[in-house]
Amino acid sequence: MKFSKTNLDGVVIVEPKVFGDHRGWFMETYNETNFIEAGINVKFVQDNHSFSATKGTLRGLHYQLNPKAQTKLVRCTKGAIYDVAVDIRKGSSTFGKWFGLELTEDNKKQLLITEGFAHGFMTLTEEVEVQYKVDEFYAPDCDRGIIWNDPEIAIEWPMDVTPILSAKDEKAPLLKDAENNFIYGE
């Protein structure tokens, strides 16, 4: 596995080795030893799988408050997405900054997003499947979000369309108004 740092400390691109032949291919999507050797010590407790039928579907930007904050390992297993992480750690030198990466079934890249970041993605194709591991169970009382088009964050989404949102995501607040208990450096 190859681990590449991004402009945000706590967001890492993970590229599995893919072994292929005339029958197809095989890859390890997670190997605890490789992660620990890369300085990432996380115990995943839940796997999630989402399906989006329509191109332009946007899910996020979501996060969970402490003590149920989540680290995620995200991959696209069918189609393509633009995956985004936003630093919401108050006091961080990159607070409010974002990182985006295209994850596709073909490039097989994954994005590791540690706690203290809001996460979301936009589908770039029809019929998209996304799988992700988390290190903390879903906690409805800690579930929060930030509006996808917050002008202070200014995410450069790759499609010039009005995204398809859930009712919950349509009502998400701006980052400056969002409930947040992530203090950088604690």
Side-chain angles (χ1 to χ4, degrees), residues 87-92 95 116 175 178-185:
D87 189 344
I88 59 171
R89 301 170 298 169
K90 292 179 181 174
S92 164
F95 178 78
L175 177 58
E179 185 177 355
N180 176 347
N181 64 0
F182 298 101
I183 306 298
Y184 184 70

Side-chain angles (χ1 to χ4, degrees), residues 22-128:
H22 66 282
R23 300 167 298 164
W25 54 265
F26 169 84
M27 70 178 182
E28 284 184 343
T29 60
Y30 174 75
N31 181 307
E32 181 181 50
T33 301
N34 293 144
F35 274 65
I36 290 172
E37 287 173 356
I40 303 165
N41 191 2
V42 60
K43 179 185 175 197
F44 292 111
V45 298
Q46 181 177 320
D47 261 344
N48 300 311
H49 190 154
S50 78
F51 171 76
S52 300
T54 308
K55 182 178 180 177
T57 298
L58 196 146
R59 296 180 184 266
L61 301 160
H62 302 147
Y63 62 98
Q64 286 191 177
L65 297 173
N66 284 320
K68 298 295 182 178
Q70 295 176 321
T71 292
K72 297 178 180 181
L73 180 61
V74 183
R75 67 190 179 112
C76 181
T77 56
K78 183 177 180 187
I81 64 171
Y82 189 68
D83 204 42
V84 173
V86 177
D87 189 344
I88 59 171
R89 301 170 298 169
K90 292 179 181 174
S92 164
S93 64
T94 56
F95 178 78
K97 303 292 184 206
W98 63 276
F99 175 80
L101 178 68
E102 192 170 307
L103 303 179
T104 73
E105 66 182 298
D106 293 330
N107 73 19
K108 298 184 181 22
K109 292 180 181 180
Q110 301 178 90
L111 198 60
L112 179 79
I113 305 163
T114 60
E115 61 183 59
F117 291 84
H119 170 252
F121 65 85
M122 177 182 273
T123 60
L124 304 177
T125 60
E126 305 287 322
E127 299 191 357
V128 171

Side-chain angles (χ1 to χ4, degrees), residues 6-8 14 17 45 63 66 70 91 118 123 126 129 132 140 144 149 172:
T6 67
N7 63 317
L8 300 176
V14 180
K17 289 182 182 174
V45 298
Y63 62 98
N66 284 320
Q70 295 176 321
T123 60
E126 305 287 322
E129 293 189 34
Y132 60 100
R144 298 294 185 275
N149 60 350

Side-chain angles (χ1 to χ4, degrees), residues 141-153:
D141 293 346
C142 296
D143 185 28
R144 298 294 185 275
I146 299 166
I147 193 72
W148 69 279
N149 60 350
D150 185 324
E152 293 294 316
I153 300 171

